[in-house]
């Protein structure tokens, strides 16, 4: 209890110090503040976005949300984390989506929508630009 | 297709009511009903004459001497997905086909998936079975390089869907190695083209017209499909056996099986699809006339240069285990190219040179044409625009 009381303002302070230093190109992975997704690594994030898993080893459900097709952050995310271009990604999903074997993440419209969704859904995970970070969501990881 | 409507109303009601339940759930990280889909506009052309100067169509009307963009290759699919609960997903897919179906929108597939966990799921409903390597997504042109999957192989299996159960186990390692095992069973009603050579040898008069279809039912279908590999290299092995009723051919409870191996390589700029299938049917005279044993295979190699993918396919169709005088035989070479117009849209063109052969040296050389050609080979052109949305 005491930890969580101290932790939030501490993180807010750290973000206030660190955020200005973050370049616009940073991708921040965010989750709901009440989540059970601690320690999620990039490999796991990649598998979640490929539709391979919907739960972590600890049993926690993890549901990814995506950014709009053609947006710069989406292109950067898939290239950095999955090593795929948007066309490669579309070809990938065309095989799995229409057979019901795997499901693609839901697409939202902006950093603000992603934050709002993640803040309202305990199992959600999303990615936004580093400069959009605030304390409505928990930062899981940040990649340059 | 009336039999489809009556047969799957029940499945549609199950899937539909499950979806409505999903809409009334309290807010969770579920999206309600999600719509996606695919569209293929396809045109083909094949002007190939027999010795008397008469046009012989290819692939049971796949390519005729009329450039036809309303052929049976043009179709649209709309998929509706809804997560009813944390473990239950439902899917309904509507399709509209051109050609003799005249673009009437039908419920093609509808199923409910129960996810025990991330690895194990049970499916109930009507779905496209994994009979051959790309059978499950054969309707999604955007998902593969060719205008049409090689006809030598994919023409040997006219089974449209399975009504029944499917158990899927899938897992992937941290290194990107995926394993899938699917065991499925059920029944179905389908239609298949009556082969042109069978029509020309019809025992009674009058014979059906070329392009006629025969209805048949499959029951006690049992099959499995397994894949192993990464996104770069994936192997596939599958086998399905079934009982068949085909009253048009006076057949009841006869057996048939479809086995196959496949490989997809998609590594850096190099692309390859290789497949081999074996259709083995009951050795009765009726079955060997309607659905003779056949073996077929193809190898496609391609190379991506930016958004452009040229490819070459060599395909063969030959006798199966039991030699039937009605079995078809040919080999073909296809040169094609696929161009990524935009994310989710591709334009394709291919030219096929098909060389029919005689199955036993005495039978005429039909290959996949309506009749023996004047020359040793025939040419078929095809182009398509494939979209996913």
């Amino acid at each position: 209890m005491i930890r969580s009381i101290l932790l939030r303002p501490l993180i807010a302070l750290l973000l206030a110090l660190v955020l200005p230093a973050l370049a616009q190109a940073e991708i921040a992975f965010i989750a709901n503040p009440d989540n059970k997704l601690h320690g999620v690594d990039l490999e796991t994030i990649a598998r979640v976005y490929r539709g391979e898993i919907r739960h972590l080893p600890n049993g926690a459900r993890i549901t990814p949300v995506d950014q709009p097709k053609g947006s710069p952050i989406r292109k950067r995310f898939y290239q950095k984390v999955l090593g795929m271009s948007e066309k490669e990604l579309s070809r990938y999903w065309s095989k799995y989506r229409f057979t019901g074997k795997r499901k693609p993440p839901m697409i939202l419209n902006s950093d603000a929508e992603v934050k709002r969704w993640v803040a309202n859904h305990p199992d959600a995970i999303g990615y936004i630009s580093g400069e959009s970070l605030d304390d409505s969501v928990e930062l899981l990881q940040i990649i340059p | 297709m009336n039999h489809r409507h009556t047969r799957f109303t029940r499945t549609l009601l199950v899937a539909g009511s499950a979806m409505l339940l999903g809409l009334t759930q309290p807010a969770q990280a579920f999206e309600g009903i999600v719509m996606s889909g695919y569209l293929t506009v396809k045109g083909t052309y094949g002007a190939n004459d027999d010795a008397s100067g008469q046009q012989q169509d290819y692939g049971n009307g796949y390519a005729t001497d009329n450039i036809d963009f309303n052929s049976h290759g043009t179709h649209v699919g709309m998929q509706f997905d809804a997560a009813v609960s944390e473990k239950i997903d439902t899917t309904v897919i509507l399709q509209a086909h051109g050609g003799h179906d005249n673009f009437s929108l039908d419920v093609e597939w509808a199923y409910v998936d129960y996810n025990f966990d991330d690895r194990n799921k049970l499916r109930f409903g009507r779905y496209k079975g994994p009979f051959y390597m790309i059978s499950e997504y054969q309707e999604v042109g955007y998902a593969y390089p060719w205008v049409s999957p090689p006809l030598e192989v994919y023409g040997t299996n006219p089974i449209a869907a399975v009504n029944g159960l499917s158990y899927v186990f899938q897992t992937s390692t941290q290194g990107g190695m995926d394993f899938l095992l699917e065991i499925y069973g059920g029944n179905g009603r389908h239609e298949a083209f009556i082969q042109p050579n069978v029509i020309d040898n019809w025992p009674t008069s009058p014979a059906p017209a070329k392009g006629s279809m025969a209805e048949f039912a499959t029951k006690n279908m049992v099959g499995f499909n397994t894949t192993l590999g990464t996104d770069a290299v994936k192997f596939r092995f599958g086998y399905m056996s079934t009982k068949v009723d085909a009253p048009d051919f006076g057949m009841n409870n006869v057996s048939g099986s479809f086995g196959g191996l496949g490989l997809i390589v998609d590594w850096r700029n190099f692309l390859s699809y290789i497949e081999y299938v074996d259709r083995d049917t009951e050795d009765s005279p009726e079955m060997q006339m309607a659905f003779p044993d056949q073996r077929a295979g193809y190898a496609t190699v391609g190379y991506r240069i930016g958004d452009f993918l040229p490819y070459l396919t060599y395909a063969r169709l030959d006798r199966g285990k039991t030699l039937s005088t009605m079995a078809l035989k040919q080999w073909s070479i296809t040169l094609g190219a696929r161009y990524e117009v935009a994310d989710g849209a591709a334009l394709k063109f291919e030219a096929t040179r098909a060389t029919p052969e005689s199955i036993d040296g005495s039978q005429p050389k039909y290959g996949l044409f309506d009749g023996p050609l004047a020359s040793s080979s025939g040419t078929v052109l095809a182009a398509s625009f494939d979209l996913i949305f």
Side-chain angles (χ1 to χ4, degrees):
Chain A
M1 192 54 120
I2 293 177
R3 268 183 71 200
S4 64
I5 288 172
L6 287 178
L7 215 50
R8 292 246 189 123
L10 197 59
I11 287 174
L13 179 65
L14 279 170
L15 283 175
L17 293 172
V18 166
L19 274 176
L22 292 174
Q24 191 176 351
E26 247 86 17
I27 299 176
F29 294 98
I30 56 170
N32 187 284
D34 295 331
N35 76 77
K36 301 185 179 97
L37 309 180
H38 309 291
V40 155
D41 60 6
L42 274 185
E43 172 81 46
T44 304
I45 290 173
R47 295 177 72 195
V48 168
Y49 275 87
R50 286 163 56 93
E52 287 173 21
I53 54 176
R54 300 199 217 179
H55 296 85
L56 296 182
N58 66 9
R61 186 176 169 87
I62 177 167
T63 307
V65 293
D66 212 349
Q67 295 251 17
K69 288 192 183 186
S71 64
I73 190 171
R74 183 180 199 258
K75 280 191 204 167
R76 275 201 315 277
F77 166 70
Y78 280 107
Q79 194 60 63
K80 286 186 188 206
V81 181
L82 272 70
M84 287 197 207
S85 69
E86 289 206 296
K87 286 173 185 168
E88 285 172 319
L89 189 71
S90 291
R91 289 197 293 266
Y92 169 87
W93 280 119
S94 68
K95 291 188 201 186
Y96 286 103
R97 152 171 241 163
F98 299 107
T99 60
K101 291 277 158 71
R102 295 180 186 173
K103 292 202 185 306
M106 175 174 65
I107 297 180
L108 294 173
N109 287 324
S110 62
D111 279 0
E113 266 196 29
V114 170
K115 272 193 297 186
R116 203 158 40 240
W117 182 275
V118 167
N120 284 317
H121 296 93
D123 56 333
I125 181 178
Y127 61 90
I128 57 174
S129 69
E131 62 170 16
S132 298
L133 267 176
D134 60 33
D135 62 359
S136 67
V137 292
E138 179 177 314
L139 173 68
L140 289 177
Q141 272 223 45
I142 199 145
I143 60 173
Chain B
M1 297 286 136
N2 284 338
H3 60 264
R4 276 192 205 160
H5 283 300
T6 55
R7 203 156 177 86
F8 301 108
T9 308
R10 205 183 317 156
T11 316
L12 181 59
L13 281 172
V14 169
S17 45
M19 279 190 188
L20 285 172
L21 279 174
L23 286 179
T24 61
Q25 291 287 326
Q28 7 194 12
F30 301 137
E31 313 164 57
I33 297 180
V34 180
M35 196 196 94
S36 57
Y38 49 89
L39 165 71
T40 290
V41 177
K42 190 181 297 191
T44 58
Y45 177 75
N48 297 288
D49 295 344
D50 64 14
S52 61
Q54 202 169 359
Q55 158 71 7
Q56 298 298 327
D57 294 343
Y58 182 77
N60 291 300
Y62 173 72
T64 71
D65 57 353
N66 293 316
I67 298 180
D68 178 11
F69 278 86
N70 188 27
S71 67
H72 60 260
T74 294
H75 61 273
V76 63
M78 280 162 33
Q79 173 164 321
F80 299 88
D81 290 293
V84 175
S85 70
E86 198 180 302
K87 290 187 184 288
I88 301 177
D89 295 322
T90 64
T91 301
V92 176
I93 302 172
L94 311 179
Q95 281 204 136
H97 291 266
H100 74 278
D101 267 0
N102 218 26
F103 289 109
S104 69
L105 201 63
D106 276 339
V107 176
E108 194 80 40
W109 303 294
Y111 50 83
V112 178
D113 285 347
Y114 182 81
N115 297 286
F116 294 95
D117 52 41
D118 283 356
R119 293 180 172 193
N120 297 278
K121 96 163 100 203
L122 186 67
R123 171 170 296 181
F124 167 71
R126 175 181 164 95
Y127 54 90
K128 186 71 187 271
F131 312 122
Y132 291 158
M133 185 157 71
I134 64 133
S135 297
E136 288 176 286
Y137 54 87
Q138 195 174 342
E139 306 291 310
V140 187
Y142 185 81
Y144 45 79
W146 326 280
V147 172
S148 300
L151 211 52
E152 284 87 347
V153 166
Y154 285 85
T156 64
N157 192 331
I159 294 179
V162 180
N163 307 310
L165 286 172
S166 163
Y167 182 81
V168 181
F169 172 80
Q170 42 183 351
T171 182
S172 36
T173 68
Q174 292 279 76
M177 178 72 69
D178 301 327
F179 172 73
L180 178 143
L181 173 64
E182 180 172 2
I183 297 171
Y184 61 96
N187 54 45
R189 299 175 65 90
H190 328 274
E191 36 176 34
F193 287 107
I194 305 175
Q195 283 176 200
N197 56 341
V198 170
I199 288 171
D200 286 345
N201 284 283
W202 203 255
T204 60
S205 189
K210 298 266 167 88
S212 295
M213 304 193 87
E215 292 195 344
F216 67 101
T218 51
K219 44 188 198 192
N220 303 334
M221 278 197 274
V222 177
F224 75 88
N225 174 52
T226 182
T227 66
L228 176 68
T230 63
D231 282 351
V233 181
K234 193 159 280 185
F235 289 98
R236 180 260 166 182
F237 172 47
Y239 180 81
M240 186 267 278
S241 124
T242 182
K243 291 290 185 200
V244 175
D245 289 340
D248 290 356
F249 286 86
M251 292 193 293
N252 192 43
N253 213 41
V254 291
S255 64
S257 73
F258 300 85
L261 291 165
L263 171 68
I264 301 179
V265 177
D266 193 348
W267 180 67
R268 308 267 174 102
N269 295 331
F270 179 72
L271 184 76
S272 178
Y273 282 65
I274 299 175
E275 194 167 6
Y276 172 78
V277 302
D278 186 348
R279 179 173 87 187
D280 189 359
T281 56
E282 190 149 319
D283 288 351
S284 65
E286 298 85 10
M287 191 54 139
Q288 289 303 310
M289 189 163 113
F291 299 113
D293 287 3
Q294 303 267 192
R295 284 178 182 147
Y298 64 84
T300 293
V301 287
Y303 194 81
R304 290 188 208 280
I305 305 163
D307 284 332
F308 189 61
L309 170 67
Y311 59 87
L312 186 70
T313 299
Y314 171 73
R316 284 204 74 96
L317 174 64
D318 206 341
R319 59 166 288 179
K321 199 175 76 186
T322 303
L323 175 63
S324 159
T325 52
M326 289 293 108
L328 301 174
K329 184 169 179 173
Q330 81 168 28
W331 63 271
S332 71
I333 299 259
T334 300
L335 185 62
R338 169 179 166 142
Y339 176 68
E340 312 295 322
V341 172
D343 182 12
L347 202 57
K348 303 166 179 172
F349 179 80
E350 61 192 21
T352 301
R353 190 100 177 118
T355 304
E357 296 175 289
S358 170
I359 194 68
D360 62 356
S362 67
Q363 288 295 314
K365 301 177 183 179
Y366 281 77
L368 291 175
F369 291 91
D370 275 359
L373 303 180
S375 57
S376 60
S377 308
T379 301
V380 170
L381 305 176
S384 71
F385 174 71
D386 295 291
L387 186 71
I388 55 167
F389 53 86

